[in-house]
């Protein structure tokens, strides 16, 4: 388990390094910092309280999967907010060429499906006697 934690931590540090290197090329750094600050506020004011509330309301073996799904769904939603809340069709159709609300909904359905499957597997594993 210690090796896995080290590898995950090293991967996280590497991804953070990539993020910092990408920030060095940004022209509107203030705008990016405002967006990142807004993401933190949304996390602390909306996502975290919802996850904590779900942890209090949901009982049994599904508590962990439900909280994990809420975290993933919240993070995906925060990342997708700029294109989900855009004021209308862009003047240039190549700027946002995809159907982002539909794709966000597909991602939410996928998160829900994986959560239901994960909870079902956990429930079956608990009922099965050890061999």
């Amino acid at each position: 388990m210690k090796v896995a934690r080290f590898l995950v931590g090293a991967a996280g540090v590497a991804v953070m390094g990539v993020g910092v290197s990408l920030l060095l090329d940004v022209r509107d750094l203030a705008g990016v910092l405002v967006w990142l600050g807004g993401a933190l506020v949304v996390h602390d004011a909306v996502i975290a309280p919802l996850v904590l509330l779900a942890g209090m309301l949901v009982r049994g073996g599904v508590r962990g999967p439900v909280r994990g799904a809420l975290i993933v769904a919240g993070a995906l939603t925060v990342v997708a907010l700029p294109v989900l809340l855009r004021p209308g069709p862009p003047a240039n159709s190549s700027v946002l060429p995809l159907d982002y609300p539909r794709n966000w909904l597909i991602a939410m359905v996928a998160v829900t499906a994986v959560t239901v499957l994960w909870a079902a597997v956990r429930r079956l594993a608990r009922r099965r006697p050890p061999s």
Side-chain angles (χ1 to χ4, degrees):
M1 190 57 120
K2 290 181 181 181
V3 173
R5 283 187 181 188
F6 175 78
L7 291 174
V8 169
V13 169
V15 170
M16 287 189 304
V18 170
V20 168
S21 71
L22 291 174
L23 274 178
L24 297 176
D25 294 334
V26 171
R27 291 183 197 162
D28 183 22
L29 186 59
V32 171
L33 293 177
V34 166
W35 188 86
L36 289 172
L40 287 174
V41 169
V42 168
H43 172 271
D44 290 347
V46 178
I47 297 173
L50 282 176
V51 171
L52 291 173
L53 182 63
M56 290 172 29
L57 297 176
V58 177
R59 298 284 180 221
V62 297
R63 180 184 289 178
V66 167
R67 291 190 314 192
L70 285 173
I71 291 170
V72 171
L76 285 172
T77 301
V78 167
V79 169
L81 274 179
V83 293
L84 291 175
L85 298 178
R86 70 177 186 257
N92 181 353
S93 63
S94 66
V95 173
L96 295 173
L98 302 175
D99 185 1
Y100 291 96
R102 183 202 65 200
N103 293 343
W104 172 82
L105 188 60
I106 290 170
M108 293 300 108
V109 169
V111 168
T112 304
V114 168
T115 302
V116 168
L117 182 63
W118 184 271
V121 167
R122 283 182 63 166
R123 182 165 285 191
L124 288 174
R126 287 185 178 171
R127 289 185 182 179
R128 180 179 277 172
S131 53

